[in-house]
Amino acid sequence: MITLTVDLDIRSYPIFIGSGLLDKTHLLREAITGSSAFIVTNETVAPLYLQTVQALLTGIRHEAVCLPDGEAYKTIETLDIIYTALLKGHYDRSTTLIALGGGVIGDMTGFVAATYQRGVNFVQIPTTLLAQVDSSVGGKTGVNHPLGKNMIGAFHQPRAVIIDTQTLDTLPDRELSAGIAEIIKYGLINDAPFFKWLEEHMDALLDRDSDSLAYAIEQSCRNKAHIVAADEKESGFRAILNLGHTFGHAIETGVGYGTWLHGEAVACGMYMAASMSANMGWLEQSALNRIRMLLHRARLPTTPPTALTPDRFRSLMSVDKKVIDGHMRLVLLRGIGQAEIVTDFDPDALERVLHNKVVA
Ligand code: NAD
Ligand code: GLY
């Protein structure tokens, strides 16, 4: 087992990574502070892992709520199901919430933990690759609004993140690729040697080689923990984690939540950001080619949906948490491993990308 730490003073917490961690009772029990626990999961994950997690809680008062599955349910309405179950079960402020599932479950459970009785403890047990490398770490929680992705939310750090890599055995291939998108992101923004490692090990990752997956998860969590520790509430540097997200969120909202997977939209968005960087003369053509090739090898899209016109795309991009005082901020690339947050970008370079005119 590997243990990393997200270093945030009194709110520091461990990330445990290993195979079979859902059989290790003490990891979860040590993260539970009161005498009760409440599991939030969904109808897909519950039949696979709920019993195993419940077995870890013997002797602790607990129950579970099982939500409908999908990004389309990451809404204020679904939060109400969780709040109601907590209140009906008389769970008080000492309760620990447990998020068992992918990023959708993690984001909603975290938001309920941030707001239920003004804030309770919570633990992340991420079961998708995307959640294991990104969403379970860093304390961003929330839900979507019909007008914008992740627009309602709060920062609330978990007490622990328990990553059992065995849970990936049941993950569909398309979801595996979506997780690989966020892994590639760390290489692009911050870690050129990791990007090269990914070029060398992409086939092994797609074949679910356990050592390669474990290394990719560890390296991703290391990068994320470092960035979050430096800028917990995204006053600056942390925004590099949003490479491709302004484009990607526009795709997710524009085509309807759940039509494109989050990781697919981010992959396409990262390629659009890289193309824009190339259009501005920041990124070499050879680097852009490497990015396209790696995304394609990971079976990820690089072309935005034709249904989104440039006007609609631009308008969706303007509903983004990085927009400040009406100014759009984008994360662009100076090279592989070198992200930069910019407001004074060349608008023509953006227009060319929205019109699908990429330096090619
Ligand atoms: P998801 O939660 O919808 O999970 C994907 C699918 O896999 C679902 O159908 C789920 O039920 C299923 N599933 C989960 N674990 C499984 C398993 N072990 N075996 C079989 N099926 C399994 O999607 P996701 O990709 O995990 O997360 C995407 C969400 O995360 C988006 O809403 C995105 O906005 C959010 N996100 C948040 C952050 C953050 O920092 N908070 C970062 C990145 C993404
Ligand atoms: N996924 C972006 C962040 O955690 O900041």
Side-chain angles (χ1 to χ4, degrees):
M1 180 176 85
I2 292 151
T3 307
L4 306 174
T5 303
V6 183
D7 199 350
L8 292 167
D9 296 322
I10 53 161
R11 279 168 295 102
S12 296
Y13 55 94
I15 306 169
F16 303 111
I17 305 168
S19 176
L21 296 196
L22 287 190
D23 296 326
K24 298 202 185 307
T25 310
H26 69 283
L27 294 180
L28 180 58
R29 291 180 82 105
E30 279 165 19
I32 293 174
T33 44
S35 58
S36 65
F38 188 91
I39 305 167
V40 181
T41 188
N42 74 22
E43 61 202 5
T44 305
V45 178
L48 298 169
Y49 304 110
L50 180 57
Q51 260 191 343
T52 311
V53 173
Q54 283 177 319
L56 302 176
L57 298 172
T58 309
I60 295 176
R61 181 169 96 85
H62 68 272
E63 66 185 276
V65 67
C66 187
L67 303 175
D69 185 7
E71 186 74 37
Y73 293 99
K74 191 174 143 180
T75 59
I76 293 179
E77 289 74 24
T78 308
L79 294 181
D80 199 50
I81 300 174
I82 313 174
Y83 292 128
T84 303
L86 281 163
L87 287 166
K88 278 190 171 163
H90 301 287
Y91 285 90
D92 64 22
R93 290 182 110 172
S94 69
T95 299
T96 296
L97 301 194
I98 299 169
L100 174 66
V104 168
I105 289 294
D107 280 12
M108 286 198 290
T109 310
F111 187 74
V112 170
T115 48
Y116 184 65
Q117 301 198 6
R118 301 209 175 89
V120 298
N121 183 30
F122 89 113
V123 177
Q124 289 271 16
I125 305 184
T127 60
T128 63
L129 184 59
L130 185 139
Q132 295 183 352
V133 300
D134 192 355
S135 63
S136 65
V137 175
K140 278 191 182 175
T141 74
V143 291
N144 301 325
H145 187 279
L147 297 180
K149 171 91 182 142
N150 291 339
M151 277 293 147
I152 320 294
F155 285 97
H156 189 60
Q157 300 293 342
R159 174 67 57 124
V161 181
I162 302 171
I163 299 175
D164 185 343
T165 53
Q166 254 178 31
T167 57
L168 299 179
D169 291 351
T170 52
L171 196 67
D173 285 342
R174 188 176 165 203
E175 299 290 350
L176 189 84
S177 287
I180 292 174
E182 300 278 15
I183 293 175
I184 292 173
K185 179 183 79 181
Y186 295 108
L188 284 175
I189 57 176
N190 197 43
D191 193 345
F194 186 43
F195 188 89
K196 189 161 184 299
W197 182 92
L198 288 168
E199 290 179 315
E200 288 158 4
H201 293 82
M202 185 51 69
D203 295 341
L205 289 176
L206 293 169
D207 286 346
R208 299 175 188 241
D209 170 66
S210 53
D211 288 346
S212 303
L213 276 172
Y215 178 77
I217 294 166
E218 179 191 343
Q219 202 56 23
S220 299
C221 288
R222 254 185 221 292
N223 271 294
K224 181 137 190 193
H226 167 73
I227 293 167
V228 169
D231 179 20
E232 181 186 4
K233 297 209 170 153
E234 201 170 293
S235 42
F237 179 51
R238 179 170 175 164
I240 64 167
L241 285 168
N242 297 317
L243 173 69
H245 283 58
T246 307
F247 294 99
H249 286 171
I251 294 173
E252 287 185 88
T253 311
V255 297
Y257 297 123
T259 310
W260 279 48
L261 300 183
H262 176 70
E264 293 169 344
V266 165
C268 184
M270 290 194 297
Y271 188 66
M272 293 175 84
S275 303
M276 188 173 155
S277 311
N279 282 343
M280 286 166 62
W282 282 19
L283 189 71
E284 287 182 7
Q285 185 62 41
S286 57
L288 185 64
N289 291 342
R290 281 176 69 193
I291 295 167
R292 187 178 51 238
M293 271 172 58
L294 191 60
L295 291 170
H296 284 175
R297 281 178 63 205
R299 301 173 191 145
L300 289 162
T302 54
T303 312
T306 44
L308 289 186
T309 61
D311 278 352
R312 174 93 173 112
F313 218 113
R314 210 178 307 102
S315 128
L316 287 163
M317 284 176 79
S318 69
V319 185
D320 184 84
K321 292 188 292 315
K322 285 190 302 310
V323 173
I324 292 179
D325 293 336
H327 296 292
M328 194 188 293
R329 289 187 301 156
L330 288 174
V331 185
L332 299 179
L333 293 174
R334 289 274 183 192
I336 288 173
Q338 281 176 272
E340 208 170 293
I341 304 150
V342 280
T343 42
D344 58 342
F345 52 80
D346 173 4
D348 190 46
L350 173 60
E351 286 309 308
R352 288 167 66 193
V353 167
L354 295 185
H355 287 86
N356 252 329
K357 292 195 186 89
V358 170
V359 182

